[in-house]
Amino acid sequence: MAQLPSDFVWGFATASYQIEGSVAAGGRGPSIWDAFCAQPGKIRDGSSGEVATDSYRLWREDVELLKTYGVKAYRFSLSWSRIIPLGGRTDPVNSEGIAFYRALIEELLKNGIEPFVTLYHWDLPQALHERYGGWLNKEEIVQDYVNYAKVCFEAFGDVVKNWITHNEPWAVTILGYEKGVFAPGHISNTEPWIVNHNLILAHAHAVKLYREQYKEKQGGQIGITLDCHWQLPYDDSPENLEAAQRGIDFKLGRFADLIYKGTYPESVKRIIGDRLVEYTTEELAVVLGSSDFFGLNTYTTQVVQPGGTDESNGFLKTGFTLPDGSQLGTQAHVPWLQTYGPGFRTLLNYLWNTYKLPIYVTENGFAVKNENSLSIEEAIHDADRIEYFHNYANAMLQAVTEDKVPVKGYFGWSFLDNFEWADGYQTRFGVTYVDYATQKRYPKDSARFLKKWFTEHIEAPASDSDV
Ligand code: GBH
């Protein structure tokens, strides 16, 4: 049977604002998500991350549960405003915040679980947004982000060997500053490109610092996580093939081409024109090659054609219907997601051929349609999520064993049902059901499925007799 190499790491992922709760406890300062949720109409069910899965208090229990899932690794993010409540480089560091994450990390290690730590999963300290416009202010935000990264490398770098600078800058720029559906809720056609520039610079300077001052003595790796749906052309006509490439350029290339090739994609230059922020030669020198691996979040494949009206995706019409009228796969609770494994295999090949870096799949997952209206007993039998993970895991296995794409790790999204941003709590992505009334956790069948799948599909380490 085909198997992944013995050093393949797998586990589940979460993010601070989606699980921690305790937003005013332990000295934490507010983030832009606290402020955004407080605005009426922004979150579908009127909720917020105020309690979430209560993981700031229940973290020991969470690690115990993770352990029963047989994972080798756990990806989580740090809350910037828990570590530096006001966020800035001259603001005080909160020792309670440091102690919280330190204890979590040590508990993971004690249980043989390797931490993968994301520095920024969207929860900017509100104080920085108010003080100088947050991500819009290059001079300030780059320095403050690098200072925050430095505090984290100092506090945790002896035990954390895998760092992710940003989670999905696409969502920050487009959803936060173009469409206004994520914090801080801005609507603009120039701001996204300014934020695009500043996020990349902040990332690159944090990586530079890590490589110059920490990498050698701490021995870790650092990179950025980008998200991309595979763009499947509606058919093989030249217009549709070109549309698919444009979709990738607008979703991924706007970041990846800069970081790995030092330039914006041609289609982005043509359509965005002088709204693009140019990089100086010195800036480009820091940006180019500033990631040790390709961090990928991917959830779905979309069928694409030209002729759409949305600039943020390169003016594509997107859907899930093939020319013969059939659907790509099973529909999720959210409109943007269907099960369809083959696109994942093609995407992994595309990334390896284009960017030539080892890949970590830092998120991949599925929200079962109407799961929230089922009883707990029904919801834990999550057949559609199993179908999804089965398809995706097999597609990845083929990419690794047949196509020789170096995928090094895989994280299912998510360990727990949690605060699903603008969707609130009605959309459930977890392999663990969370009963929000009691905060009790119930493993779903998909958690058992993945445990079994990875147990069967990772090679045993070479034993003495093999050597
Ligand atoms: C991930 O993003 C996030 O990293 C994670 O925090 C989140 O919980 C998870 O997805 C599940 O949603 O405006 O039509 O694009 C995945 C990429 C970006 C896809 C936001 C859905 C919102 C709908 N997602 N997008 S749309």
Side-chain angles (χ1 to χ4, degrees):
M1 181 173 60
Q3 284 184 312
L4 299 163
S6 61
D7 61 355
F8 191 90
V9 292
W10 81 278
F12 296 104
T14 60
S16 49
Y17 192 70
Q18 294 181 273
I19 66 162
E20 286 181 5
S22 297
V23 292
R28 177 185 178 279
S31 82
I32 56 172
W33 271 92
D34 297 288
F36 187 69
C37 293
Q39 293 177 39
K42 298 297 186 192
I43 311 300
R44 187 160 304 201
D45 55 7
S47 66
S48 74
E50 198 178 338
V51 179
T53 64
D54 206 11
S55 291
Y56 182 72
R57 298 191 311 130
L58 301 179
W59 61 275
R60 275 182 197 280
E61 205 180 288
D62 285 347
V63 175
E64 254 173 59
L65 181 59
L66 264 175
K67 171 97 174 155
T68 69
Y69 289 175
V71 301
K72 296 188 177 182
Y74 175 50
R75 172 176 178 247
F76 61 97
S77 80
L78 306 176
S79 156
W80 185 342
S81 64
R82 221 179 252 300
I83 291 177
I84 308 174
L86 296 173
R89 56 199 182 279
T90 56
D91 296 319
V93 172
N94 174 29
S95 57
E96 258 188 280
I98 302 272
F100 168 69
Y101 291 117
R102 184 84 206 177
L104 169 65
I105 291 163
E106 285 177 1
E107 188 70 13
L108 288 167
L109 289 169
K110 218 170 72 193
N111 284 283
I113 301 171
E114 196 181 347
F116 276 64
V117 177
T118 309
L119 290 170
Y120 188 72
H121 198 126
W122 310 348
D123 42 358
L124 183 74
Q126 173 69 7
L128 301 185
H129 183 68
E130 288 174 11
R131 198 179 286 169
Y132 54 70
W135 287 113
L136 289 165
N137 188 323
K138 173 160 95 177
E139 302 316 321
E140 298 290 341
I141 197 68
V142 173
Q143 292 188 66
D144 282 348
Y145 179 84
V146 172
N147 171 69
Y148 160 58
K150 185 181 170 75
V151 169
C152 298
F153 300 151
E154 291 282 343
F156 314 120
D158 58 332
V159 281
V160 170
K161 305 299 166 194
N162 306 282
W163 293 100
I164 293 158
T165 53
H166 286 299
N167 180 70
E168 297 190 2
W170 185 91
V172 177
T173 57
I174 305 300
L175 303 177
Y177 290 86
E178 184 160 336
K179 297 182 187 287
V181 297
F182 276 14
H186 288 201
I187 296 177
S188 164
N189 73 355
T190 50
E191 286 184 5
W193 297 100
I194 298 169
V195 172
N196 190 300
H197 181 67
N198 297 346
L199 280 166
I200 290 179
L201 279 182
H203 146 81
H205 279 279
V207 171
K208 181 171 189 281
L209 172 77
Y210 185 76
R211 286 178 176 167
E212 287 175 359
Q213 293 184 30
Y214 298 95
K215 195 178 167 85
E216 201 177 324
K217 65 171 186 264
Q218 297 183 344
Q221 55 178 347
I222 185 165
I224 190 168
T225 278
L226 306 175
D227 67 310
C228 195
H229 308 325
W230 181 244
Q231 311 279 305
L232 185 68
Y234 181 72
D235 60 25
D236 283 346
S237 72
E239 312 86 76
N240 289 334
L241 292 173
E242 200 198 319
Q245 182 59 50
R246 194 160 71 247
I248 294 170
D249 294 346
F250 269 76
K251 189 85 182 155
L252 191 74
R254 68 168 78 206
F255 304 103
D257 283 15
L258 273 157
I259 294 168
Y260 303 111
K261 298 175 171 178
T263 175
Y264 288 108
E266 285 308 318
S267 66
V268 171
K269 286 189 201 164
R270 182 163 45 77
I271 292 173
I272 306 301
D274 60 12
R275 283 178 289 142
L276 283 184
V277 181
E278 292 299 329
Y279 286 74
T280 65
T281 314
E282 296 77 55
E283 286 174 343
L284 263 189
V286 179
V287 166
L288 188 59
S290 59
S291 197
D292 295 337
F293 53 84
F294 197 104
L296 171 70
N297 287 359
T298 191
Y299 285 79
T300 199
T301 291
Q302 289 178 333
V303 179
V304 301
Q305 291 172 274
T309 54
D310 183 355
E311 183 187 82
S312 79
N313 71 14
F315 298 112
L316 302 185
K317 284 197 274 195
T318 66
F320 296 102
T321 309
L322 295 165
D324 67 4
S326 67
Q327 292 291 293
L328 270 191
T330 304
Q331 181 62 46
H333 190 68
V334 287
W336 50 271
L337 173 53
Q338 288 195 351
T339 58
Y340 177 74
F344 183 36
R345 178 175 178 180
T346 322
L347 174 60
L348 291 169
N349 274 276
Y350 174 87
L351 296 176
W352 171 236
N353 293 329
T354 310
Y355 301 113
K356 310 214 164 18
L357 278 178
I359 299 167
Y360 284 87
V361 180
T362 44
E363 283 179 31
N364 178 239
F366 190 77
V368 175
K369 199 168 172 61
N370 297 328
E371 194 174 270
N372 196 47
S373 45
L374 303 176
S375 67
I376 299 172
E377 192 39 54
E378 292 165 327
I380 59 174
H381 301 305
D382 53 343
D384 288 357
R385 187 176 285 105
I386 290 178
E387 178 208 325
Y388 177 92
F389 280 133
H390 194 205
N391 285 342
Y392 271 73
N394 281 319
M396 177 172 72
L397 182 66
Q398 288 173 328
V400 173
T401 58
E402 292 174 36
D403 311 333
K404 309 296 174 210
V405 179
V407 183
K408 301 290 184 192
Y410 174 93
F411 294 84
W413 183 271
S414 179
F415 169 45
L416 303 168
D417 290 336
N418 57 45
F419 176 68
E420 179 52 21
W421 307 111
D423 279 357
Y425 292 98
Q426 286 157 16
T427 299
R428 294 175 176 268
F429 269 92
V431 296
T432 309
Y433 189 95
V434 176
D435 177 5
Y436 294 110
T438 62
Q439 290 297 349
K440 269 195 72 164
R441 280 87 160 115
Y442 300 86
K444 298 180 193 176
D445 291 348
S446 57
R448 278 180 281 270
F449 169 80
L450 281 175
K451 177 178 184 176
K452 184 162 184 286
W453 193 91
F454 279 105
T455 306
E456 289 172 357
H457 292 91
I458 297 180
E459 279 169 14
S463 68
D464 288 349
S465 57
D466 297 332
V467 183

